[in-house]
Structure formats: C-alpha cells, structure tokens
C-alpha cells in the first residue's frame, strides 16, 4: 500500500503537517486496528482516512466525504488534460512568472470551453498559495502566474480499503456502530463554508458547532487551530467543559504562505 503524505489534489486545511503525530498517537490507541472502526467524520481530502488505513491495516475505516472530494478524484484525468493544455498555452516559461495579457486571454478562452474544471487545483496552477477562485468570471479579475505543475496528479490506491459514505456529521455521529469506534473530527471553523451536501450559501455556524459538541463521544481525535475559538471551551469552564476533560493536546506550527504562522492543534480524548 502506497503511503500519501499529502492529498493527491489540493485541499484547503488538509492535515499533512500533523501526520507524524497523528499516526503515532493512532498506533498507540488502535495498534494494527484489529476490532476497530475509525470514522473520518468530516472527511475533507481523505488524508486522515488514508493514513488511518495505512497505520491500522486491520481497522474498518470510513471516509465521510463531506466535501465531495471523491468527485474530484474521479475526474483526475480531466484535470491532467487541463494541466497539459495549460503548459502548452503558457509556453513553460520560468515558474511563477506572470502571464501577459495575450497569454491570460488564451487561458481564459480555453477554460470557458472546458467540460470539467477542478477549481481548487486550477487555482494552484494560476495563483499563489492561499488564493482561490470558483468561477471563470472571478478568475478574470486576477493577475495570473505560470505555476502549472510539470507532473501529472496521481491518486493510485489513495482510498484503497477505505469505505466512502456521504452523510451529514449529525447522521454519522448518530449511527449505531458496534465495537471499538474512534472518531476523527476535523470540522470547518465556525462561520466558514460547510460541506458539499449543504446549501453553498450556508455556513458551519455556532449552532452546528454546539450540535457537534452534543454528539461527540470518546475516543476521538479533534483537530482545530489557534485561529478558531475551540480552545476557549477546552481551557475555560463552560457547559461543554466535560467534552474535553482528561484530554491530551498536541500542537504543530503551520506556515501556509511563508509569511504568517499559526498553531495546528490535535485534541486527543480516549475516555
């Protein structure tokens, strides 16, 4: 089984900087996974589910595809076709060089006729890290750069042995699983966009977060950062203090654009 240390296609918020700690603590708790069910409740890019299956080979691992990442994987050949065409249009100039107006217009015209576009991957090909667009009209207002990868995206065996489901977090946390169950919880930050199956104009708001608190039960691994307000519930008395009692906290520094940094946080609760 091939091990992936980052998702095959870009995903904002994937926990690749936390994998060493995650895999170590996972093995401590679940061993080879015999008798365990490990549920990646919010799914994201599937990177946690993939690493859970790699580390705990005998576990049953469920990937709740909250953001419909599997659709992007199914269309990975179309994304590679787009990548190859963009490299021809840009002329393989010096990487990260800005596109002139003529080349930008050629790129825009080509994209307008594409059958399928993975906007998050395309954003990485034409914009700098941390910048995203979700439509061609939106792209036209940006200055574009030649950041098109030389290498084709590859997802061979990425979700091998992992079961994929499509449910809301409330549904999957309410399901009655038998045996030893570990929940991997990496929810959107409060007031950010929710998963694919929601109305895209809606947000993961305070009520969603409180509903999650009500449904959480150990053992769980909860991912957050010091950009969110979750640590307020961990460190201060509240009606939800019991949710995080007797937990262990692990941190790692993340610098997504090389200019700013923040702490990624893993909260582990076993009992």
């Amino acid at each position: 089984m091939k091990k992936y240390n980052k998702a095959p296609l870009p995903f904002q918020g994937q926990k690749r900087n936390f994998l060493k700690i995650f895999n170590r603590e996972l093995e401590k708790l679940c061993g080879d996974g015999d008798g365990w069910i490990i549920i990646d409740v919010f799914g994201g890019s599937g990177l946690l589910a993939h690493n859970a299956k790699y580390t705990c080979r005998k576990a049953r691992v469920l990937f709740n595809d909250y953001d419909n990442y599997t659709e992007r994987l199914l269309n990975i050949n179309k994304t590679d076709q787009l990548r190859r065409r963009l490299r021809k249009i840009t002329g393989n100039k010096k990487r990260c060089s800005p596109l002139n107006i003529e080349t930008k217009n050629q790129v825009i015209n080509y994209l307008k006729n594409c059958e399928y576009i993975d906007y998050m991957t395309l954003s990485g090909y034409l914009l700098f890290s941390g910048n995203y667009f979700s439509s061609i009209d939106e792209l036209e207002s940006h200055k574009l750069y030649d950041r098109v990868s030389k290498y084709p995206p590859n997802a061979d065996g990425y979700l091998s042995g992992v079961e994929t489901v499509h449910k809301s977090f409330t549904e999957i946390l309410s399901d009655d699983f038998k045996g030893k169950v570990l929940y991997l919880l990496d929810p959107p930050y409060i007031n950010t966009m929710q998963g694919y199956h929601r109305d895209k104009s809606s947000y993961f708001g305070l009520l969603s977060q409180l509903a999650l608190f009500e449904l959480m039960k150990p053992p769980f691994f909860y991912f957050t950062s010091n950009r969110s307000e979750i640590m307020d519930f961990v460190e201060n008395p509240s009606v939800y203090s019991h949710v995080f009692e007797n937990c262990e906290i692990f941190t790692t520094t993340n610098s997504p654009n090389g200019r700013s940094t923040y702490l990624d946080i893993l909260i582990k609760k076993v009992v």
Side-chain angles (χ1 to χ4, degrees):
M1 181 180 182
K2 176 183 175 181
K3 186 175 188 294
Y4 285 80
N5 292 313
K6 67 176 182 178
L9 295 171
F11 188 86
Q12 191 174 17
Q14 59 172 298
K15 293 299 181 287
R16 62 183 181 180
N17 293 328
F18 235 128
L19 291 182
K20 184 176 180 179
I21 296 172
F22 171 69
N23 289 325
R24 182 193 70 205
E25 295 303 314
L26 188 63
E27 189 172 17
K28 279 185 185 179
L29 178 63
C30 302
D32 64 4
D34 189 25
W36 281 89
I37 301 172
I38 302 174
I39 305 171
D40 190 354
V41 174
F42 290 89
S45 67
L47 188 62
L48 293 178
H50 163 78
N51 273 267
K53 188 62 181 178
Y54 185 91
T55 301
C56 305
R57 304 291 177 95
K58 294 183 179 179
R60 178 188 177 195
V61 178
L62 275 67
F63 166 49
N64 187 30
D65 191 8
Y66 195 74
D67 294 280
N68 214 19
Y69 191 79
T70 50
E71 180 184 2
R72 296 174 60 196
L73 294 178
L74 287 172
N75 286 283
I76 199 168
N77 289 335
K78 293 178 182 177
T79 297
D80 186 46
Q81 182 180 5
L82 183 152
R83 178 194 66 84
R84 287 185 277 114
R85 180 58 183 158
L86 287 180
R87 281 184 60 80
K88 290 182 179 179
I89 294 174
T90 61
N92 303 332
K93 297 181 179 66
K94 182 180 179 182
R95 183 164 171 78
C96 298
S97 59
L99 301 185
N100 60 38
I101 294 298
E102 181 182 356
T103 304
K104 176 180 177 178
N105 288 337
Q106 290 180 36
V107 168
I108 297 295
N109 289 333
Y110 166 67
L111 294 175
K112 285 180 177 178
N113 293 298
C114 281
E115 173 190 357
Y116 172 84
I117 295 176
D118 178 342
Y119 283 100
M120 187 163 287
T121 301
L122 183 61
S123 296
Y125 290 163
L126 298 173
L127 303 176
F128 281 100
S129 178
N131 295 303
Y132 299 94
F133 62 92
S134 57
S135 71
I136 303 304
D137 288 341
E138 187 180 344
L139 179 64
E140 290 186 274
S141 65
H142 285 275
K143 184 172 184 177
L144 305 187
Y145 298 84
D146 184 1
R147 303 186 68 245
V148 185
S149 174
K150 296 179 181 179
Y151 307 105
N154 175 35
D156 292 346
Y158 181 56
L159 293 176
S160 177
V162 174
E163 299 176 37
T164 301
V165 296
H166 300 272
K167 295 185 176 184
S168 68
F169 71 90
T170 54
E171 288 178 291
I172 200 163
L173 286 172
S174 299
D175 284 347
D176 185 20
F177 294 100
K178 305 299 182 184
K180 298 178 290 185
V181 182
L182 171 64
Y183 296 96
L184 308 180
L185 303 168
D186 186 16
Y189 297 155
I190 296 176
N191 293 330
T192 58
M193 300 305 292
Q194 300 186 77
Y196 80 97
H197 59 283
R198 308 280 186 171
D199 177 3
K200 283 299 185 181
S201 65
S202 67
Y203 290 82
F204 188 91
L206 180 59
L207 290 179
S208 299
Q209 184 63 65
L210 296 182
L212 176 58
F213 283 159
E214 293 287 347
L215 291 167
M216 285 168 58
K217 46 189 176 288
F220 63 73
F221 287 7
Y222 191 107
F223 293 87
T224 186
S225 84
N226 64 344
R227 288 177 168 179
S228 80
E229 298 175 333
I230 296 303
M231 294 308 294
D232 289 343
F233 291 96
V234 178
E235 297 169 344
N236 300 290
S238 76
V239 68
Y240 293 106
S241 296
H242 66 283
V243 175
F244 296 106
E245 282 179 351
N246 302 314
C247 64
E248 293 182 81
I249 298 174
F250 306 88
T251 62
T252 186
T253 302
N254 197 345
S255 181
N257 54 25
R259 297 187 298 273
S260 61
T261 62
Y262 64 92
L263 287 181
D264 268 328
I265 300 169
L266 166 59
I267 304 169
K268 175 185 175 184
K269 182 171 179 177
V270 176
V271 292

